[in-house]
Amino acid sequence: MSLKTKIAVLGSGNGSNFTSLAEACNKDSLRAEITLVISDVKDAKILNRAKELGIPNKFINPGKFRTKLDDTAEAAYIKALKDSGAQWVALAGFMRILKGDFLRAFEQKVINIHPSLLPAFPGLEAWKQAYDYGVKVTGCTVHLVDYGIDTGRILAQGVVPVLESDTSTTLYQRIQEEEQRLYPSTLARLFNNKI
Amino acid sequence: MSLKTKIAVLGSGNGSNFTSLAEACNKDSLRAEITLVISDVKDAKILNRAKELGIPNKFINPGKFRTKLDDTAEAAYIKALKDSGAQWVALAGFMRILKGDFLRAFEQKVINIHPSLLPAFPGLEAWKQAYDYGVKVTGCTVHLVDYGIDTGRILAQGVVPVLESDTSTTLYQRIQEEEQRLYPSTLARLFNNKI
């Protein structure tokens, strides 16, 4: 019998947040096991990183749409996740919107990290939106995924000041560093029923 | 010849932010002189506080509207402020929207402090909006006043974490404490051309 929470990770890109979760699992600062990594991008680095770490991983074709999964793909994602035994699904740079059937299959168990202090700057390139607006502080938000765009219940937020010397790129780098700290620590609190 | 920047303050309530500005002027941590305090509320505490501190103060009838000054009142406010020699106008809990003629009379010289991390939660009772939304961090924002509601250029922001034990009231108290630190320090930087 394992006391570890089983989580799966969906990602489309480099997998830096996935890596921070995997490292936290390895160090046991996060009492969880990553059962599967799925990407909608065939050659995404996140799949290579999973392979290097010995974590089951697969590309599943997302189908014909650009911003969501088509019905066939959605069913395939849900089946693979359920088959892996995952209790929670952590999004880590997954660039598609999850809809009704998926969210019902993992009711209140889908988590995302977003690179702004929500509800400010939902949507794409949030760090750039914040930089262009001229805020002096921004950050990142771990939240449950619901039917809106970045509107689900907030679990934790990390603050990143905008420096005089920042470009949107350097700002984003520091937000990503904060994400890599905040995501595993928030999941650890969540799985310990401390949220 | 004085090197002090002349500012006027408009407020409708207790004047806690006004008091923090006046104290900073007295201590010379803010190289400014408050030339006049105007309130749209006849018995507002801010007028008593100004009186106690020996700062010129007056009630000017705002006219028939609830959320703005009528034309006659607007002209009277502008005249009183100009007559006082004020170069800048600092809003401190002034519960009316300032419109075209006023903002043109003090072009880019009207400053406000707002109890949230703008652009999140503009408008009234921002601390309560933030609390009810469930954010984990909020704060306050010093910004230039433009023609929108809390949309002007951001000069500084202060962060206040939302604690597990917070009510919207205790949260607001800590935001106010942060405001009283942020407002004078931001004006000091502004008047030293450091913003």
Side-chain angles (χ1 to χ4, degrees), chain A residues 117-121 133-138 150-159 164 189 194-195, chain B residues 117-121 133-138 150-159 164 189 194-195:
Chain A
L117 293 176
L118 291 171
F121 311 116
Y133 190 95
V135 297
K136 303 301 179 186
V137 293
T138 183
D150 305 321
T151 54
R153 184 159 78 85
I154 292 174
L155 301 176
Q157 297 186 297
V159 171
E164 287 288 326
R189 289 198 301 135
K194 294 207 172 137
I195 296 183
Chain B
L117 293 175
L118 289 171
F121 312 116
Y133 191 94
V135 297
K136 303 300 180 187
V137 292
T138 183
D150 304 321
T151 54
R153 185 159 78 85
I154 293 174
L155 302 176
Q157 296 186 297
V159 170
E164 287 288 326
R189 289 199 301 135
K194 294 207 171 135
I195 296 183

Side-chain angles (χ1 to χ4, degrees), chain A residues 67-82:
Chain A
T67 60
K68 59 179 182 176
L69 302 172
D70 70 18
D71 286 350
T72 309
E74 187 180 55
Y77 275 70
I78 293 170
K79 182 171 190 314
L81 293 167
K82 291 286 185 191

Side-chain angles (χ1 to χ4, degrees), chain A residues 99-121:
Chain A
K99 310 275 259 192
D101 281 352
F102 191 102
L103 295 179
R104 276 186 291 275
F106 293 93
E107 184 94 43
Q108 300 284 312
K109 299 285 186 191
V110 183
I111 312 163
N112 188 35
I113 186 159
H114 179 84
S116 77
L117 293 176
L118 291 171
F121 311 116

